[in-house]
Amino acid sequence: VSPPAPNGAPVSATSERRRPPVVIIGMHRSGTSMMSRALEAAGLFLGWRQLAGHQEAKYFLRLNVWLLAQTSSGWEQPDDVDYLLNRPDARAMVAEYLRAAMRAPRAVSFLGPARMARVRSIEKMDEPWGWKDPRTTFTLPVWLDVFPDLKVVHVYRHGVDVAESLRVRQYEIERIGLDRARKFARTDAFRFKPNELVPGLRFADLDEGFSLWERYTERAQDAVRRLGDRALELRYEDFLDDPTSTTSALAEFCGLPDAGAARRTVADVKPDRAFAHRRTPELLEFAQKHADRLATFGY
């Protein structure tokens, strides 16, 4: 017989097995996808439907996009979410919406049909699970309202390498956008464009990417300090230097059953990806120019 709950109702076996989520945060382009792949291989469920190549569950990504949109924010301008976080009435309404989303039938897009049939609600997950989305770095306080016992893994990387990675990606986005514009030039004469032509133009500037890295890293490290032993912080360069022991520590922190699978996933990581900026004079000069700002985060 299940023991009684405080209100006298029996506690179900399912509720006794509920697992709080593990949330992977950190600045974009910081190695969060690599870590997530390793954790997923070790047994951390990160969603039935994911954004291809990023280990980001579309369900939680959409909820975070919606959450940031309440203050006209986005991943590239996330700070205004504080207007929501500092309004108890609005914050409570948003948290209640998120709780309902955990129980809604559409949660099947995260759980998948088999898990949905078994647990019925994301809140009742009885296995190691979580999600990865850099946006959660800023929306985390609301998610803590929903899941007070959640755990956090923060992955961070050298700010100049992050800024350069953003810049390279921006050039690729621009190339794709311009190719698409030429391809659909005729049909665009009869309709408004369905999406941005060249989004994120500001990140063609190293300073913009670097400043955003500072804000994400500062916010994430503040969360790590607040959560204490429910948070694990991992430097990308340390991971590249010793992926085996680092991955084992990650798997243990997350309570995962197969650390060996995680180690096999990262067996072919390339250590030379650490501090890549040192091989480019422009980037090395940029790093030296901002040495005091880098030192704030241990670089």
Side-chain angles (χ1 to χ4, degrees):
V1 178
S2 299
N7 62 3
V11 177
S12 69
T14 300
S15 67
E16 290 176 335
R17 295 195 304 266
R18 290 181 185 178
R19 300 285 292 263
V22 175
V23 182
I24 302 157
I25 66 173
M27 174 61 187
H28 304 259
R29 319 303 291 179
S30 291
T32 53
S33 296
M34 182 187 298
M35 304 302 168
S36 299
R37 279 192 290 273
L39 291 173
E40 195 167 35
L44 185 67
F45 177 73
L46 292 176
W48 184 58
R49 290 183 174 173
Q50 298 178 355
L51 192 63
H54 295 274
Q55 272 60 48
E56 293 177 5
K58 292 180 180 180
Y59 195 66
F60 281 92
L61 188 151
R62 288 169 178 163
L63 288 172
N64 272 327
V65 168
W66 172 84
L67 206 164
L68 289 170
Q70 304 314 299
T71 55
S72 300
S73 305
W75 74 267
E76 71 276 41
Q77 289 280 13
D79 307 84
D80 282 352
V81 74
D82 287 344
Y83 289 108
L84 169 65
L85 301 180
N86 295 328
R87 279 282 304 274
D89 53 345
R91 178 168 166 172
M93 285 191 293
V94 167
E96 186 54 38
Y97 173 81
L98 295 177
R99 290 188 192 96
M102 299 300 100
R103 302 185 292 266
R106 68 179 185 274
V108 68
S109 69
F110 175 75
L111 293 171
R115 284 184 175 83
M116 189 71 177
R118 179 167 58 83
V119 299
R120 302 290 182 181
S121 166
I122 295 174
E123 294 173 315
K124 296 180 180 179
M125 281 290 283
D126 55 2
E127 62 185 285
W129 73 282
W131 70 89
K132 171 253 176 176
D133 180 7
R135 296 166 185 81
T136 313
T137 305
F138 283 83
T139 63
L140 183 62
V142 180
W143 286 112
L144 280 164
D145 294 342
V146 178
F147 296 108
D149 297 327
L150 69 74
K151 302 174 78 172
V152 160
V153 173
H154 172 220
V155 183
Y156 68 107
R157 182 185 183 187
H158 194 284
V160 180
D161 289 337
V162 169
E164 173 62 3
S165 182
L166 282 173
R167 182 166 69 165
V168 170
R169 184 180 70 170
Q170 182 58 36
Y171 290 153
E172 181 64 11
I173 288 172
E174 291 178 25
R175 184 191 64 77
I176 293 171
L178 292 173
D179 287 347
R180 186 183 295 119
R182 295 187 186 100
K183 180 178 179 181
F184 294 105
R186 292 183 179 180
T187 57
D188 286 342
F190 301 96
R191 63 173 187 173
F192 285 105
K193 293 197 71 60
N195 47 40
E196 303 98 327
L197 177 61
V198 282
L201 282 171
R202 55 191 282 242
F203 297 118
D205 186 330
L206 277 176
D207 282 295
E208 289 290 339
F210 186 76
S211 294
L212 188 64
W213 168 80
E214 285 182 301
R215 302 205 300 279
Y216 268 83
T217 307
E218 181 179 25
R219 186 66 63 106
Q221 290 187 342
D222 181 63
V224 168
R225 286 190 292 270
R226 291 173 182 269
L227 288 172
D229 60 5
R230 287 197 292 124
L232 178 66
E233 192 165 53
L234 175 62
R235 197 167 83 150
Y236 176 76
E237 293 80 12
D238 293 339
F239 169 78
L240 293 180
D241 183 58
D242 186 4
T244 301
S245 61
T246 303
T247 305
S248 295
L250 267 173
E252 181 179 357
F253 174 77
C254 298
L256 303 180
D258 191 359
R263 290 191 294 270
R264 290 190 293 274
T265 300
V266 299
D268 59 349
V269 299
K270 299 177 180 178
D272 60 356
R273 296 177 65 180
F275 304 110
H277 67 278
R278 294 175 178 172
R279 297 188 291 275
T280 305
E282 177 204 3
L283 300 178
L284 183 58
E285 181 181 355
F286 185 90
Q288 292 168 345
K289 178 182 176 182
H290 298 293
D292 56 337
R293 293 163 69 182
L294 287 162
T296 301
F297 302 99
Y299 285 107

